[in-house]
């Protein structure tokens, strides 16, 4: 069984910073792409940032230059450094990983439980 556990959310003032972390554990053979998604109230879940196993990153336009995604392949962890936060960044943030539990199995799309980020004065 695989678990993704996020941490680091909270309440922050506009212009502040937060660092989200995600730890993957359990029966994992390999992890391919990892990503952060977010879902604001009344809106669909959207991709925030993605990182490949080789470290190639992509960001949604609204967070470019403010957020940085990174990962530690040895520890199966994912982070999202969020700077210059805006009220519109308020959402539940979810960790996502495309992983295999054995070399011969297909990718599994695994999700964390989410962590709340509130940007407000």
């Amino acid at each position: 069984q695989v678990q993704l556990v996020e941490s680091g959310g909270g309440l922050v003032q506009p212009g502040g910073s937060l660092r989200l972390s995600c730890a993957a554990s359990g029966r994992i053979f390999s992890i391919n792409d990892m990503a952060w998604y977010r879902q604001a109230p009344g809106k669909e879940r959207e991709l925030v940032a993605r990182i490949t196993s080789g470290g190639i990153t992509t960001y949604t336009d609204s967070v470019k230059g403010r957020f940085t995604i990174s990962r530690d392949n040895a520890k199966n962890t994912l982070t999202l450094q969020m700077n210059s936060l805006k009220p519109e960044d308020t959402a539940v943030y979810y960790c996502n990983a495309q992983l295999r539990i054995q070399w011969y199995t297909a990718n599994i799309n695994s999700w964390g439980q989410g962590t709340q980020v509130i940007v407000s004065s």
Side-chain angles (χ1 to χ4, degrees):
Q1 193 170 2
V2 175
Q3 273 192 315
L4 299 181
V5 179
E6 300 104 331
S7 61
L11 173 64
V12 64
Q13 292 187 341
S17 297
L18 279 176
R19 185 178 179 88
L20 305 183
S21 298
C22 172
S25 62
R27 190 178 182 184
I28 298 171
F29 175 77
S30 66
I31 302 179
N32 300 313
D33 289 2
M34 301 186 80
W36 288 98
Y37 286 75
R38 67 186 179 188
Q39 188 167 19
K43 295 187 176 181
E44 293 187 354
R45 190 173 297 190
E46 66 168 349
L47 175 66
V48 175
R50 183 189 304 277
I51 184 168
T52 68
S53 58
I56 298 172
T57 59
T58 55
Y59 298 90
T60 191
D61 285 346
S62 62
V63 308
K64 285 180 180 177
R66 300 189 297 123
F67 291 10
T68 302
I69 188 171
S70 61
R71 64 189 285 176
D72 185 327
N73 291 333
K75 297 180 179 179
N76 288 341
T77 57
L78 178 72
T79 61
L80 184 69
Q81 178 66 43
M82 304 186 295
N83 298 327
S84 302
L85 282 161
K86 304 176 181 180
E88 51 263 43
D89 295 317
T90 295
V92 177
Y93 284 70
Y94 296 90
C95 175
N96 173 264
Q98 306 291 321
L99 55 88
R100 294 187 176 187
I101 59 173
Q102 293 289 354
W103 66 268
Y104 52 82
T105 58
N107 278 341
I108 295 173
N109 191 27
S110 186
W111 293 92
Q113 82 287 352
T115 185
Q116 178 74 58
V117 171
I118 300 173
V119 184
S120 175
S121 55

